Structures are given as C-alpha cells and as structure tokens.
Amino acid sequence: MSAVAHRREIKRLVRMLASGSPEDLGAIPWASPVMMFGRLDTSRVATLGLNPSNLEFVDARGAQLQDPLHRFETLSTLQLDSWADAAKEHIERVWSACDMYFSRRPYDGWFKPLDRVVNGLYVSYYDVWSSACHLDLVPFATGQKWSSLAPDVKQGLLELGAETLVRSIATSPIRVLVLNGATVVRTFERLLREPLEVSSMPAWTLGRDGTSPVQGFAYRGMVTELAGMALGRELLVLGFNHNIQSSFGVTREAVTSISEWIAKQGKGVLA
C-alpha cells in the first residue's frame, strides 16, 4: 500500500512512453500516463474504465489544455522535449496529478454519475478520506476513441496495461472493483480468461421509444489473478452492462437500483 511503489510504476510507464511502444498503438505521445484517478493508497473501492479520455488532455476542438485548465502533466507542462528526459521531479509531478485528481479539476461530467453508483458503499472519489478511486484497463490516452481502434491495437494496449492494473490493485487497499459498462466487462473478462457470473436485472431495463427495451445485467466474481498475474488476495468484482455516462435513456431509478445492488454485494467485503 505504498505510494513509493506507485511512483515506481509511473516511472516504468514513462519509460514505456519513451520507448515509443504506446505511441505505435495510438497513444497520445505527449500525454503523461494516468496510473490512477485519485488516492490509490487509501481507496477501498475502485471503478474501472477502458482508458483515459482524450478530453483529459485536449479541449472539444482538439487543442491541448494549458494552464490553468490542464489536469494531467504533458511534455509541454513539464518543459520536456522527450519522455526520455524525465527525471525524479517530473515523475513526482506525474504521480501528484494522478493522486490529487479529485481535489483539483476533475472531469465531473464523467465522474459524478459514477460516484453516485458507489456511494451506497459509503465511499466517494470526493470525500476527505479519499475512499474511492478510478482505474483504467489501459493507462494511456489515445487520439481515437476506444471503439474506433482496430482489434489488434486494442489487444496491444491491453497487454501494455495489464501489469499496471495488477500492480495498482495489489499495492492498494482496494477490495471491491466496479466495472462500468458492457464493453469494460467484456474487456476485463479477456484479462480474467473466464466469464463473470451474470444475472438478469429487470429493474435495470431501459425503455426506448419505438424500439425494444435494453435489458439490464449484473456481473459478479471473486478474483485472485488477472492476465496470469496474482493479486495477492481475493477481489470482489461487480459490474453492470449500462454505461452510466453515455447510455441513452439511463434513468435515475435504474442508477439507484444499480447502486443499491452494489451496496448489498459489497458491504460484507468492506465490513
């Protein structure tokens, strides 16, 4: 549960950027790695997404965010020509931007809805105890949206990110991991190398005008390893098929029901 281990992992990711391998797979070359959003060393619950949004680094027109609007470090904010030039003080700034994310300028439009989903476990990204954080399957922002990437590119990025995800969980107090949406669930199962338990949830069904309703599904599993790497303990994994931020027609009632289910499943683990 050491911040030292987390800094060491960020240093490894920066070296990876310097090697050019993430850029070859579509990662934004000047954007820092994002190991975590929030305090990994104090979080008991983490949500999981695909990879950092490019909007963490650029505005709606694609222009790089500048002071005082930027959230994470870049080659420009660090005044570096190359990631190969990154020294200890630069690694510290990259780590700090990740660690202090929710006390600076978080992307509330994305994180506030997800925070409501985990609030039933009496945790939050935003509380003074920093009891929840967010992780991604891939710690690099890409120029294209995940859905636009070729399958082999996605697989390459997953392979680059798997070790970081395992180390992030293994060196933290995280006991519950919440998967946000069907794409995250399916991609996580590729690392797990087996399916999670799935249950139909009628209360989560979303109505659509003129089309068939979208059914709700819950996912659950007790996990001890990912991508063949041990986590060092059992981790409760929970998931839902609706993407809370972008699924058209997601109702307050459905979100409340998802939150209540997560609270019921997770409270015994966190007690």
Side-chain angles (χ1 to χ4, degrees), residues 43-48 118 121 123 131-133 135 169 172-179 221-222 233-239 262-263 265-271:
S43 293
R44 298 179 298 148
V45 175
T47 53
L48 185 70
V118 299
L121 289 170
V123 299
S131 52
C133 69
L135 302 173
I169 295 169
S172 74
I174 293 168
R175 293 296 181 271
V176 180
L177 186 66
V178 179
L179 314 186
M222 296 299 296
R233 62 175 179 277
E234 277 197 326
L235 176 73
L236 174 62
V237 177
L238 304 172
I262 288 173
Q265 297 296 317
K267 280 181 178 175
V269 174
L270 296 180

Side-chain angles (χ1 to χ4, degrees), residues 50 137 146 154 158 182-192:
L50 293 167
L137 288 157
W146 185 265
K154 293 178 182 177
L158 282 175
T183 302
V184 176
V185 171
R186 289 194 300 268
T187 308
F188 181 85
E189 287 177 332
R190 287 164 61 185
L191 292 182
L192 187 59

Side-chain angles (χ1 to χ4, degrees), residues 106-118:
Y107 186 6
D108 286 338
W110 201 91
F111 283 107
K112 284 286 189 180
L114 203 49
D115 193 60
R116 288 194 286 272
V117 167
V118 299

Side-chain angles (χ1 to χ4, degrees), residues 49-61:
L50 293 167
N51 72 318
S53 169
N54 62 334
L55 295 178
E56 296 287 1
F57 293 95
V58 300
D59 62 22
R61 297 171 297 174

Side-chain angles (χ1 to χ4, degrees), residues 86-205:
K88 182 177 180 180
E89 60 267 26
H90 303 118
I91 302 300
E92 181 69 19
R93 284 178 56 179
V94 172
W95 171 82
S96 179
C98 296
D99 186 69
M100 301 298 292
Y101 179 82
F102 289 104
S103 62
R104 292 180 175 175
R105 292 189 60 258
Y107 186 6
D108 286 338
W110 201 91
F111 283 107
K112 284 286 189 180
L114 203 49
D115 193 60
R116 288 194 286 272
V117 167
V118 299
N119 282 167
L121 289 170
Y122 301 104
V123 299
S124 174
Y125 304 131
Y126 299 90
D127 65 23
V128 296
W129 302 280
S130 301
S131 52
C133 69
H134 180 79
L135 302 173
D136 279 325
L137 288 157
V138 175
F140 304 109
T142 50
Q144 290 182 292
K145 299 298 184 186
W146 185 265
S147 59
S148 299
L149 298 174
D152 60 324
V153 171
K154 293 178 182 177
Q155 183 59 34
L157 288 168
L158 282 175
E159 291 172 1
L160 287 183
E163 189 170 349
T164 294
L165 179 61
V166 170
R167 288 182 177 181
S168 297
I169 295 169
T171 59
S172 74
I174 293 168
R175 293 296 181 271
V176 180
L177 186 66
V178 179
L179 314 186
N180 178 37
T183 302
V184 176
V185 171
R186 289 194 300 268
T187 308
F188 181 85
E189 287 177 332
R190 287 164 61 185
L191 292 182
L192 187 59
R193 298 173 183 171
E194 63 181 14
L196 296 165
E197 301 168 16
V198 59
S199 303
S200 177
M201 303 294 285
W204 301 2
T205 298

Side-chain angles (χ1 to χ4, degrees), residues 20-37:
S21 52
E23 182 181 0
D24 292 342
L25 293 167
I28 300 172
W30 46 263
S32 68
V34 182
M35 180 180 173
M36 71 283 189
F37 297 74

Side-chain angles (χ1 to χ4, degrees), residues 205-208 211-215:
T205 298
L206 304 180
R208 298 286 177 89
T211 60
S212 300
V214 178
Q215 290 183 287

